[in-house]
Amino acid sequence: MATNITWHPSLSRSERNSLRKQRGMTIWFTGLSASGKSTIATALEQHLLHLGLASYRLDGDNVRFGLNKDLGFSEKDRNENIRRIAEVAKLFADSSTIALTSFISPYRADRDTARKLHEAATPTKASGEEDESIPFIEVFVDIPVEVAEQRDPKGLYKKARAGEIKEFTGISAPYEAPEKPEIHIRSDKTSVEDSVREIVKYLEAKRLLVL
């Protein structure tokens, strides 16, 4: 851990939310490859933008072209991948942006760590007083592995079955399903449009889209 560093305070989170007229949060999509995470997250991002709400999607593949291009798919690298994304999502949310993350994020402990990072009050004022926590909404995009294999738009399951891809989630590496996600979507039974509506309905019920 770095030493000789000092936290530089900025606007409080509540002040920033008030000035930007929206509340920052992280909506964390998790599920198997080909479950539909990115498709639903993209549709939700478009919906939120059309409502005039600042949002930004962090995609599992996209970040590996830059921020996380040094990481592989071992358990250790997956842990670090999610740690970095949780920190980046928190920064977006702290700026009063709605961060959408679509990552397999197979390990429950890593997702729990991401949640705790958002829920922990962060000193944002010079006095160090606690500010409101950042909402963290876990969305489990659930699909049977056999259905995911039938979809397999990238041909990854086929390669994993053939032994060409090692440590592939759902085949040769585990996926630990969320125990109590805020939202549980069966993407083989629910359309993308209905999935977006379900998420927006939850956000409205929790009054997260209004100040």
Side-chain angles (χ1 to χ4, degrees), residues 187-203:
S187 60
D188 58 328
K189 298 180 179 181
T190 309
S191 69
V192 173
E193 294 76 13
D194 285 343
S195 298
V196 170
R197 278 192 280 269
E198 182 175 345
I199 296 168
V200 172
K201 183 179 179 181
Y202 174 89
L203 297 176

Side-chain angles (χ1 to χ4, degrees), residues 4-191:
N4 300 316
I5 58 176
T6 302
W7 181 267
H8 289 265
S10 182
L11 291 175
S12 71
R13 193 166 301 120
S14 57
E15 289 173 313
R16 195 182 300 275
N17 288 344
S18 178
L19 289 168
R20 295 197 67 187
K21 297 181 173 57
Q22 73 172 70
R23 188 173 187 181
M25 70 191 81
T26 291
I27 302 176
W28 191 284
F29 291 84
T30 178
L32 293 173
S33 179
S35 64
K37 300 182 301 298
S38 293
T39 301
I40 297 171
T42 298
L44 177 60
E45 180 186 28
Q46 292 173 344
H47 180 81
L48 293 172
L49 288 170
H50 282 296
L51 291 178
L53 298 170
S55 63
Y56 191 80
R57 181 176 59 90
L58 297 166
D59 181 80
D61 280 354
N62 291 356
V63 298
R64 286 182 178 272
F65 281 97
L67 176 67
N68 292 346
K69 66 181 180 181
D70 60 320
L71 300 176
F73 291 92
S74 67
E75 182 174 349
K76 180 180 179 181
D77 281 358
R78 286 178 183 271
N79 295 155
E80 176 61 12
N81 183 54
I82 297 307
R83 187 196 70 80
R84 292 183 192 178
I85 292 309
E87 292 283 0
V88 172
K90 181 184 175 183
L91 290 175
F92 271 99
D94 189 50
S95 75
S96 300
T97 298
I98 299 174
L100 311 174
T101 71
S102 50
F103 292 79
I104 294 173
S105 46
Y107 300 112
R108 194 174 296 124
D110 291 340
R111 299 193 303 269
D112 289 345
T113 297
R115 180 186 294 275
K116 291 175 183 176
L117 178 67
H118 285 69
E119 291 178 344
T122 305
T124 56
K125 299 180 181 179
S127 64
E129 64 184 274
E130 292 185 347
D131 199 4
E132 61 184 8
S133 62
I134 299 173
F136 183 92
I137 299 97
E138 186 176 46
V139 180
F140 178 27
V141 184
D142 188 7
I143 190 173
V145 66
E146 57 269 19
V147 178
E149 287 194 68
Q150 291 170 10
R151 291 180 176 180
D152 202 14
K154 302 174 186 176
L156 300 179
Y157 284 95
K158 185 177 180 179
K159 290 180 179 180
R161 291 290 187 190
E164 297 176 26
I165 300 178
K166 306 299 182 182
E167 299 180 288
F168 187 78
T169 303
I171 302 298
S172 51
Y175 177 77
E176 300 171 358
E179 296 179 329
K180 295 180 180 180
E182 279 73 16
I183 302 170
H184 186 169
I185 294 172
R186 276 293 299 264
S187 60
D188 58 328
K189 298 180 179 181
T190 309
S191 69

